[in-house]
Every structure is written in structure tokens, then in C-alpha cells.
Amino acid sequence: MAPRTVPVEVFDLVIFGGTGDLARRKILPALFKRFCAGQMPGESRLIGASRSDLSREAYLEIVRIALKEAGVVRGGPALEGFLDRIDYVPLDAEGDTGWQALGDKMVPGRVRAFYFSVGPNLFANLAANLKAHGLADEQARIVVEKPFGHDLETARTLNAVLTAHFDECQIYRIDHYLGKETVQNLMAVRFGNMLFEPLWNAQYIDHIQITVAETVGVGGRAAYYENAGAMRDMMQNHMMQLLCLIAMEPPAKFDPDAVRDEKLKVIRALDPVEPHHIVRGQYTAADGVPGYREDVDNERSKTESFIALKCHVSNWRWAGTPFYLRTGKRLKTRSSEITVVFKDAPHSIFGPDAGRHNNELTIQLQPNEGITLDVTIKEPGPGGMRLIDVPLDMSFAEALGPGADAPDAYERLILDVIRGNQTLFMRNDEVEAAWAWTDPIIRGWESRGDVPKPYDAFTTGPDGAVQMMRRDRREWRGIHP
Ligand code: NAP
């Protein structure tokens, strides 16, 4: 089943930070793939803009290498066609250099998107300079990368600065988790089927688990990560967004504000988290890789590379149903999944030997996107009624065939920006509400002087996370690829 491509208008896309890691690894390959799919129509152009004083040719060489390293280059003519659309402007986000040249390259009246793929300290400067140099017209929109603030106060300040220069409807706060095919499928499964929604509440659901496990350490982002930790880097944004999509009420329609209104209600309904429902960890050296403290060059670091917590959404639908969230670096394998664990059947007609069984719906986001429903059936063969759980498996790659090469998150989200569709982007009040929930949790452990518990690299994290579940007579699902 080949993906359907929906036409977009001719556009100009400026990538501030066009020489940076994110641009090279994600943005440029995503745009190349959309170009190959015919979604950079007419005279649409891409303009890289960074501090480096590069010629256009030198920048094209950076793009060539980036596409090759990303493994997306399919052949000569497509690559050359794509490169023809690319230009470069040396520019200083903090000063006046390059802005006039950038303005001269923009085509009036055309959709113009400005991707802020630079450090967050430059977001405010970019917004102000776009306005000051007359580039923030009605067709302009800005894409703002994470992190969006360090806490509530800084997020509010950033929102105030951005909205001083752009309308909220022109601001796209990107969370690439929301661009994943399966995340949207989560909404399709919930709201497109009669089967699940009647059961989607505290009466039938025992608990929900969300795991985002990475095998990588902090890599080249040590300075940023040491100042952020897993709570700020993953929990406040990606995990929170997944929780919202699982827990929200059905929006009246699939439009940006209807969806975001419902997500906001979930965040606002989150209870504060008790200290004994939080487990923080820090990886130590194993299998030849250094530990966290060596990675960040701080032998006294108290920053967590792992966090697990239990939280409650205090509303009619979810009263009494815990949500267990965990995320960490240098874990056993790379895997992100959401599991909805349904309650046991109220009475077993098969007697104690049949064991207890319940249904689990698992939505896997990476590495392989797909949905599995565990159902209970009779174990085949003679010898009485023994029950086993088997998965009804819908791996998208298998179910939808080889043509179902779904666009990756950045491809989808960038085109949504061009189309002016904000459904999968965070609104200002959502981001602030998420920080309002996060801040007291962080302040709590800072004031107690809590130190993260060590865990060996490439395991499932600190024991405390397992104990937290056991106290509730529950188990984490294994971290599987
Ligand atoms: P990076 O590799 O350090 O690149 C930074 C870019 O900003 C470079 O192109 C640099 O240009 C440019 N730049 C720096 N100062 C500038 C200035 N004064 N004026 C104009 N350009 C300037 O950073 P990155 O990893 O790509 O990250 C970019 C943003 O994406 C950050 O906000 C980061 O938090 C976010 N993000 C990154 C990732 C990731 O995987 N990398 C993931 C999620 C979010 P020169 O090279 O010419 O100096």
C-alpha cells in the first residue's frame, strides 16, 4: 500500500543552524525524502543559514555528505534536483550580519518557514531579528526545537518573547514523538474503533506503562544533558505528550485546538507526584563504556540519566488508575512502547489451574512501529482447559506491505508546518502546564539533596524502579527490541 502524498504549496524553508547536527541527521534527509516524493513543488527552496562563512558550493557539499551518511540518497538526478533547490546564507543570529542577504532571497507572498535548529539561547534573538528585518510576514511560521525552557519561568519568558513577534498560530513547538506514525495510530485506534473506547477507563484498565529506553549515553550533548537530566529532557515533553494522547477525552474533531484543549486538560489533571513514587538513576560503566559521571566529566553529578515515576490523572475517567512512566539512557535495548494493561476478568470459570490472564494492548513506537493485543486463548491440545496469552500482532511493516514506508516524524511535521496544521505541535499553555507539573518534582529532589541510584549500563535501570512496581503487585514489561 503506497503512502498517499497530499500536495503542498510552494514554500521557502530557512534552516537556522543548517550546518548543525540536527539539520544534517534529521532535517535535510527528511526534506530530501519529501522532495523525492514530489512534495517540494515548483520553485520551493531550502536555505541553510549558520554562522560559518561558507559558499553555496561548500554548503552543498555538507548536504551531500549528510544525505549519504543518513543513507537516503537514491541516485544522481534526484540528488542533483534537490541540491538545485538549496542555497546558503552566512548569518549571525545575535547580530546584524547576513539578515539583509537572507531577506533578499525570500520570495514575497510565498509560505515561508523558519526552522530554529540552533541552541535554545538563540531562539529569542532569531524571533526578534526576523521581525526587525521585516521577514515575519503573515505567511511566516517558526519551528522551535526542544528544549522549550528549562522550567516554568524560562518557558513563560520564551513564550512571551516569541508571541511578541509572532502570533501563536505561527509558532510550531516541535516534539518529534508526535510525528511518529504509531503515535497518530494511537489516536486512530482509540477514536476510530468502537472496540476500545468503551473500555478505556479506570473501570476496565488496571494501569498504563510508558517506557522510552535508549542504549546511547549522553554522547556529544554532555553539557546540555548534565543541566537537564531525564526529567527535563524526556519526561516533561515526549513522555508527557504520550500520556496526554493515551489519557485525553475524545476531541470533538481532529483539529489543532480541539486536540490540544483535551491534552491540556490531562496535564492540568495530573496530581503532584509523591517522592516515594519517583526513582532516579545514573548509569555506571559497563561493557567497555564509561559511566555517566565520566561522560559528563563531573564526579559529583546528581543529574539523573534514568527516571521512573508513578502518577495519577485525577479525573472521572482515570480515578484510581496509575500511570507508570520510565525513561533512561544506556538501558538494555532501544525500545519505546506504551502498554495498556486491562484488568483481570472478574471471575474465572476455568478454575485456579487455568491461572489469571488479562489483556494487554501494546503500542510500540520504536524500533519497529506496531500494535499488539494480547488475548487469552486455550492452549492447543488435549488435557483440559489450560489458558495462554497470545499476541494479535499488527506490525505495520508486515500488515501494510513494503510500500508502507511511512514518512518519518520530521518529514511529516515539516510538511504540517508548510500546510499550517498545528495539531501535532505543542501550544504555549500546554508547555507551561507541563512545566508547572514538572517544576515541583525537580525542586523536591533538589531540596532533599537526593542522589540518583547507580545502575549498570545496558540493564533495565536501578532496582528501585522494579521495587516501586512490586509494592503495587505489578511488573514492568520487559525492555524488548
Ligand atoms: P549543533 O550541532 O551544535 O548546531 C548548532 C547550529 O547552530 C550550527 O549550525 C551553528 O552554526 C548554528 N549557530 C550557532 N550559533 C549561531 C549564531 N550565533 N548564529 C547563527 N547560527 C548559529 O546543535 P544541534 O544538535 O543541531 O541542535 C540544534 C537544536 O536542536 C538545539 O536546540 C537542540 O537542543 C535541538 N535538538 C537537537 C537534537 C539532535 O539530535 N541534535 C535533538 C533534539 C533537539 P555554525 O556551525 O556555523 O557555527
Side-chain angles (χ1 to χ4, degrees), residues 207-211 230-232 234-236 239-240 243 270-281 304 306-313 322-328 437-438 440-442 445 462 464-466 468-469 471-472 476:
H207 73 278
I208 289 169
Q209 303 186 12
I210 305 179
T211 295
M231 186 72 185
R232 289 190 171 96
M234 295 296 294
M235 192 68 81
Q236 182 272 345
M239 310 278 290
M240 174 76 76
L243 168 70
L270 278 170
D271 282 344
V273 181
E274 304 281 339
H276 61 284
H277 291 158
I278 303 169
V279 178
R280 295 164 69 229
E304 75 287 353
F306 173 100
I307 185 162
L309 56 81
K310 168 178 161 181
C311 58
H312 281 98
V313 179
F323 288 74
Y324 298 93
L325 316 183
R326 80 181 151 163
T327 181
W437 177 76
T438 309
I441 298 174
I442 296 175
W445 72 56
V466 176
M468 181 173 80
M469 275 295 213
R471 284 198 298 274
D472 292 351
W476 290 106

Coordinates of all heavy atoms in Angstrom, one line a residue, residues 207-211 230-232 234-236 239-240 243 270-281 304 306-313 322-328 437-438 440-442 445 462 464-466 468-469 471-472 476:
H207 N -3.7 -0.5 34.8 CA -2.7 0.6 34.8 C -2.1 0.7 33.4 O -2.4 -0.1 32.5 CB -1.6 0.2 35.8 CG -0.7 -0.9 35.3 ND1 -1.0 -2.2 35.5 CD2 0.5 -0.8 34.7 CE1 0.0 -2.9 35.0 NE2 1.0 -2.1 34.5
I208 N -1.4 1.8 33.2 CA -0.7 2.0 31.9 C 0.7 2.2 32.1 O 1.1 2.9 33.1 CB -1.4 3.3 31.3 CG1 -2.8 2.9 30.8 CG2 -0.6 3.8 30.1 CD1 -3.7 4.0 30.4
Q209 N 1.6 1.7 31.3 CA 3.0 1.8 31.4 C 3.5 2.5 30.1 O 3.1 2.2 29.0 CB 3.7 0.5 31.4 CG 3.3 -0.4 32.5 CD 4.2 -1.7 32.5 OE1 5.3 -1.8 31.9 NE2 3.8 -2.6 33.3
I210 N 4.4 3.5 30.3 CA 5.1 4.1 29.1 C 6.6 4.0 29.4 O 7.1 4.4 30.4 CB 4.7 5.5 28.9 CG1 3.1 5.7 28.8 CG2 5.3 6.1 27.7 CD1 2.6 7.1 28.7
T211 N 7.3 3.4 28.4 CA 8.7 3.2 28.5 C 9.4 3.8 27.3 O 9.0 3.5 26.2 CB 9.1 1.7 28.6 OG1 8.6 1.1 29.8 CG2 10.6 1.5 28.6
A230 N 17.1 13.4 32.8 CA 16.0 12.7 32.1 C 14.6 13.4 32.3 O 13.8 13.4 31.4 CB 15.9 11.3 32.6
M231 N 14.4 14.0 33.4 CA 13.1 14.6 33.7 C 12.8 15.7 32.7 O 11.8 15.8 32.1 CB 13.1 15.1 35.1 CG 11.8 15.7 35.6 SD 10.6 14.3 35.8 CE 9.1 15.2 36.2
R232 N 13.8 16.6 32.5 CA 13.6 17.7 31.6 C 13.7 17.3 30.2 O 13.0 17.8 29.3 CB 14.6 18.8 31.9 CG 14.4 19.6 33.2 CD 15.3 20.8 33.2 NE 15.0 21.7 34.4 CZ 15.6 21.6 35.5 NH1 16.5 20.8 35.8 NH2 15.2 22.4 36.5
M234 N 13.3 14.3 28.7 CA 12.3 13.3 28.1 C 10.9 13.4 28.8 O 9.9 13.3 28.1 CB 12.8 11.9 28.3 CG 14.1 11.6 27.6 SD 13.9 11.7 25.8 CE 12.8 10.3 25.5
M235 N 10.9 13.5 30.1 CA 9.6 13.3 30.8 C 8.7 14.5 30.5 O 7.5 14.3 30.3 CB 9.9 13.1 32.3 CG 8.7 12.7 33.1 SD 8.2 11.0 32.7 CE 9.3 10.0 33.6
Q236 N 9.2 15.7 30.7 CA 8.4 16.9 30.6 C 7.8 17.1 29.2 O 6.7 17.7 29.1 CB 9.3 18.1 31.0 CG 8.5 19.5 31.0 CD 8.5 20.2 29.7 OE1 9.3 19.8 28.8 NE2 7.6 21.1 29.6
M239 N 7.4 12.2 27.0 CA 6.5 11.2 27.8 C 5.2 11.8 28.1 O 4.2 11.2 28.1 CB 7.3 10.8 29.1 CG 8.7 10.4 28.9 SD 8.9 8.7 28.4 CE 8.4 7.7 29.8
M240 N 5.3 13.1 28.5 CA 4.0 13.8 28.8 C 3.1 13.8 27.6 O 1.8 13.7 27.8 CB 4.4 15.2 29.2 CG 3.3 16.1 29.5 SD 2.5 15.8 31.1 CE 3.7 16.5 32.2
L243 N 1.5 10.4 27.3 CA 0.5 10.3 28.3 C -0.8 11.0 28.0 O -1.9 10.5 28.1 CB 1.1 10.8 29.7 CG 0.1 11.0 30.8 CD1 -0.4 9.7 31.3 CD2 0.8 11.8 31.9
L270 N -3.1 16.2 36.3 CA -2.1 15.4 36.9 C -1.9 15.8 38.4 O -1.7 17.0 38.7 CB -0.8 15.5 36.2 CG -0.6 14.7 34.9 CD1 0.6 15.2 34.1 CD2 -0.5 13.2 35.2
D271 N -1.9 14.8 39.3 CA -1.6 15.1 40.7 C -0.1 15.3 40.8 O 0.7 14.8 40.0 CB -1.9 13.8 41.5 CG -3.4 13.7 41.8 OD1 -4.1 14.7 41.6 OD2 -3.9 12.6 42.2
P272 N 0.2 16.1 41.9 CA 1.7 16.1 42.2 C 2.2 14.7 42.5 O 1.4 13.9 42.9 CB 1.7 17.0 43.5 CG 0.4 17.6 43.6 CD -0.6 16.8 42.8
V273 N 3.5 14.5 42.3 CA 4.0 13.1 42.4 C 4.7 13.0 43.8 O 5.5 13.8 44.2 CB 5.0 12.8 41.3 CG1 5.5 11.4 41.5 CG2 4.3 12.9 40.0
E274 N 4.3 12.0 44.5 CA 4.9 11.7 45.9 C 6.4 11.3 45.7 O 6.7 10.6 44.8 CB 4.2 10.5 46.5 CG 2.7 10.7 46.7 CD 2.3 11.6 47.8 OE1 3.2 11.7 48.7 OE2 1.2 12.1 47.8
P275 N 7.2 11.8 46.6 CA 8.7 11.4 46.5 C 8.9 9.9 46.4 O 9.8 9.5 45.7 CB 9.3 12.0 47.8 CG 8.4 13.1 48.2 CD 7.0 12.7 47.7
H276 N 8.1 9.1 47.1 CA 8.4 7.7 47.1 C 7.8 7.0 45.8 O 7.9 5.8 45.6 CB 7.8 6.9 48.3 CG 6.4 7.1 48.5 ND1 5.8 8.2 49.0 CD2 5.4 6.2 48.3 CE1 4.5 8.0 49.0 NE2 4.2 6.8 48.6
H277 N 7.2 7.8 44.9 CA 6.8 7.3 43.6 C 7.8 7.8 42.5 O 7.4 7.8 41.3 CB 5.4 7.8 43.3 CG 4.4 7.2 44.2 ND1 3.1 7.7 44.4 CD2 4.4 6.0 44.9 CE1 2.4 6.9 45.2 NE2 3.2 5.9 45.5
I278 N 8.9 8.2 42.9 CA 9.9 8.6 41.9 C 11.2 7.8 42.1 O 11.7 7.7 43.3 CB 10.3 10.1 42.1 CG1 9.0 11.0 42.0 CG2 11.3 10.6 41.1 CD1 9.3 12.4 42.5
V279 N 11.8 7.3 41.1 CA 13.1 6.6 41.2 C 14.0 7.2 40.1 O 13.7 7.3 39.0 CB 13.0 5.1 40.9 CG1 14.3 4.4 41.0 CG2 12.0 4.5 41.9
R280 N 15.1 7.8 40.6 CA 16.1 8.3 39.7 C 17.4 7.5 39.7 O 17.8 6.9 40.7 CB 16.5 9.8 40.1 CG 15.3 10.7 40.0 CD 15.6 12.0 40.8 NE 16.6 12.8 40.1 CZ 17.6 13.3 40.8 NH1 17.8 13.0 42.0 NH2 18.5 14.1 40.1
G281 N 18.0 7.4 38.5 CA 19.2 6.5 38.4 C 20.2 7.2 37.5 O 19.9 8.2 36.8
E304 N 20.1 12.9 36.8 CA 19.6 11.5 36.5 C 19.6 11.2 35.0 O 19.2 12.1 34.2 CB 18.1 11.3 37.1 CG 17.0 12.0 36.3 CD 16.9 13.5 36.4 OE1 17.7 14.1 37.3 OE2 16.1 14.1 35.7
F306 N 18.2 8.3 34.3 CA 17.0 7.4 34.3 C 16.0 8.0 35.3 O 16.4 8.5 36.3 CB 17.5 6.0 34.8 CG 16.3 5.1 35.0 CD1 16.0 4.1 34.0 CD2 15.6 5.1 36.2 CE1 15.0 3.2 34.2 CE2 14.5 4.2 36.4 CZ 14.2 3.2 35.4
I307 N 14.8 7.9 34.9 CA 13.7 8.3 35.9 C 12.5 7.3 35.6 O 12.2 7.0 34.5 CB 13.3 9.8 35.8 CG1 12.3 10.1 36.9 CG2 12.8 10.1 34.4 CD1 12.2 11.5 37.2
A308 N 12.0 6.9 36.7 CA 10.7 6.2 36.7 C 9.8 6.8 37.7 O 10.2 7.2 38.8 CB 10.9 4.7 37.1
L309 N 8.5 7.0 37.3 CA 7.6 7.6 38.3 C 6.2 7.0 38.1 O 5.9 6.5 37.0 CB 7.6 9.1 38.3 CG 7.4 9.9 37.0 CD1 5.9 10.0 36.8 CD2 8.0 11.3 37.2
K310 N 5.4 7.2 39.2 CA 4.0 6.7 39.1 C 3.2 8.0 39.3 O 3.4 8.8 40.2 CB 3.8 5.8 40.2 CG 2.3 5.5 40.5 CD 2.3 4.4 41.7 CE 0.9 4.4 42.3 NZ 0.9 3.4 43.4
C311 N 2.2 8.2 38.4 CA 1.4 9.4 38.6 C 0.0 9.1 38.3 O -0.4 8.0 37.8 CB 1.9 10.5 37.6 SG 1.9 10.1 35.9
H312 N -0.9 10.0 38.7 CA -2.3 9.8 38.6 C -2.9 11.0 37.9 O -2.6 12.1 38.1 CB -3.0 9.7 40.0 CG -2.8 8.4 40.6 ND1 -1.8 8.1 41.5 CD2 -3.4 7.2 40.4 CE1 -1.9 6.8 41.8 NE2 -2.8 6.2 41.2
V313 N -3.9 10.7 37.0 CA -4.7 11.7 36.3 C -6.0 11.8 37.1 O -6.8 10.9 37.0 CB -4.9 11.4 34.8 CG1 -5.8 12.4 34.2 CG2 -3.6 11.1 34.1
P322 N -3.2 4.0 38.0 CA -1.9 4.6 37.9 C -1.3 4.6 36.5 O -1.5 3.6 35.7 CB -1.1 3.7 38.9 CG -1.8 2.5 39.0 CD -3.2 2.7 38.7
F323 N -0.5 5.6 36.2 CA 0.3 5.6 35.0 C 1.8 5.5 35.5 O 2.2 6.3 36.3 CB 0.1 7.0 34.3 CG -1.2 7.1 33.6 CD1 -2.4 7.3 34.4 CD2 -1.3 7.0 32.3 CE1 -3.6 7.4 33.8 CE2 -2.6 7.1 31.6 CZ -3.7 7.3 32.4
Y324 N 2.5 4.5 35.0 CA 3.9 4.3 35.3 C 4.7 4.7 34.1 O 4.6 4.2 33.0 CB 4.2 2.9 35.6 CG 3.4 2.3 36.8 CD1 2.2 1.7 36.6 CD2 3.9 2.5 38.1 CE1 1.5 1.2 37.7 CE2 3.3 2.0 39.2 CZ 2.0 1.3 39.0 OH 1.4 0.8 40.1
L325 N 5.6 5.7 34.3 CA 6.4 6.2 33.2 C 7.9 5.9 33.5 O 8.3 6.2 34.7 CB 6.2 7.7 33.0 CG 4.8 8.2 33.0 CD1 4.8 9.7 32.7 CD2 3.9 7.5 32.0
R326 N 8.7 5.5 32.6 CA 10.1 5.4 32.8 C 10.9 5.6 31.5 O 10.4 5.3 30.4 CB 10.5 4.0 33.4 CG 10.6 2.9 32.4 CD 10.9 1.5 33.0 NE 10.3 0.6 32.1 CZ 10.5 -0.7 32.0 NH1 11.4 -1.2 32.9 NH2 9.9 -1.5 31.2
T327 N 12.0 6.2 31.7 CA 12.9 6.5 30.6 C 14.3 6.6 31.0 O 14.6 7.0 32.2 CB 12.5 7.9 29.9 OG1 13.3 8.1 28.8 CG2 12.6 9.1 30.8
G328 N 15.2 6.2 30.2 CA 16.6 6.2 30.6 C 17.6 6.0 29.5 O 17.2 5.5 28.4
W437 N 3.8 21.2 36.3 CA 3.7 19.9 36.9 C 5.2 19.4 37.3 O 5.4 18.8 38.3 CB 3.0 18.9 36.0 CG 3.0 17.5 36.5 CD1 2.1 17.0 37.5 CD2 3.8 16.4 36.1 NE1 2.4 15.7 37.7 CE2 3.4 15.3 36.9 CE3 4.8 16.2 35.2 CZ2 3.9 14.0 36.7 CZ3 5.4 15.0 35.0 CH2 4.9 13.9 35.8
T438 N 6.1 19.7 36.3 CA 7.5 19.2 36.5 C 8.3 19.9 37.6 O 9.0 19.3 38.3 CB 8.2 19.4 35.1 OG1 7.4 18.8 34.1 CG2 9.6 18.7 35.1
P440 N 7.8 21.4 40.6 CA 7.8 21.0 42.0 C 8.5 19.6 42.2 O 9.1 19.4 43.3 CB 6.3 20.9 42.4 CG 5.6 21.6 41.3 CD 6.4 21.6 40.1
I441 N 8.4 18.7 41.2 CA 9.0 17.4 41.3 C 10.5 17.6 41.4 O 11.2 17.1 42.3 CB 8.7 16.5 40.1 CG1 7.2 16.3 40.1 CG2 9.4 15.2 40.2 CD1 6.7 15.5 38.9
I442 N 11.1 18.4 40.5 CA 12.5 18.7 40.5 C 13.0 19.4 41.8 O 13.9 19.1 42.4 CB 12.9 19.4 39.2 CG1 12.6 18.6 38.0 CG2 14.4 19.8 39.3 CD1 12.9 19.3 36.7
W445 N 13.3 17.0 44.8 CA 14.5 16.2 45.0 C 15.8 17.1 45.2 O 16.7 16.7 45.9 CB 14.7 15.1 43.9 CG 15.1 15.5 42.5 CD1 16.2 16.2 42.1 CD2 14.4 15.1 41.3 NE1 16.2 16.3 40.7 CE2 15.1 15.7 40.2 CE3 13.3 14.4 41.1 CZ2 14.7 15.5 38.9 CZ3 12.9 14.2 39.8 CH2 13.6 14.8 38.7
P462 N 17.8 1.1 37.7 CA 18.0 0.8 39.1 C 16.9 -0.1 39.6 O 15.8 -0.1 39.2 CB 18.0 2.2 39.8 CG 17.3 3.1 38.8 CD 17.5 2.5 37.4
G464 N 15.3 0.1 42.3 CA 14.2 0.8 42.9 C 13.0 0.9 42.0 O 11.8 0.9 42.5
A465 N 13.2 0.9 40.7 CA 12.1 1.0 39.7 C 11.3 -0.2 39.8 O 10.0 -0.2 39.7 CB 12.6 1.3 38.3
V466 N 12.0 -1.4 39.9 CA 11.3 -2.7 40.0 C 10.6 -2.7 41.3 O 9.4 -3.2 41.3 CB 12.4 -3.8 39.9 CG1 11.7 -5.2 40.0 CG2 13.1 -3.7 38.5
M468 N 9.4 -0.4 43.1 CA 8.2 0.5 43.1 C 7.0 -0.2 42.5 O 5.9 -0.1 43.0 CB 8.5 1.8 42.2 CG 7.4 2.8 42.2 SD 7.8 4.3 41.4 CE 7.7 3.8 39.7
M469 N 7.2 -0.9 41.4 CA 6.1 -1.7 40.8 C 5.7 -2.9 41.7 O 4.5 -3.1 41.9 CB 6.6 -2.3 39.5 CG 6.5 -1.4 38.3 SD 4.8 -1.1 38.0 CE 4.8 -0.9 36.2
R471 N 5.8 -3.2 44.9 CA 5.0 -2.7 46.0 C 3.5 -2.6 45.6 O 2.6 -2.8 46.4 CB 5.4 -1.3 46.5 CG 6.7 -1.4 47.3 CD 6.9 -0.1 48.1 NE 7.0 1.1 47.3 CZ 8.1 1.6 46.8 NH1 9.3 0.9 47.0 NH2 8.2 2.7 46.1
D472 N 3.3 -2.4 44.3 CA 1.9 -2.3 43.8 C 1.4 -3.6 43.2 O 0.4 -3.7 42.6 CB 1.8 -1.2 42.7 CG 2.0 0.2 43.3 OD1 2.0 0.3 44.5 OD2 2.1 1.1 42.5
W476 N 7.0 -4.3 35.6 CA 7.3 -3.6 34.3 C 7.3 -4.7 33.2 O 7.7 -5.8 33.4 CB 8.7 -3.0 34.3 CG 8.8 -1.8 35.2 CD1 9.4 -1.8 36.4 CD2 8.3 -0.5 35.0 NE1 9.4 -0.5 36.9 CE2 8.7 0.3 36.1 CE3 7.6 0.1 33.9 CZ2 8.4 1.7 36.2 CZ3 7.3 1.5 34.0 CH2 7.6 2.2 35.1

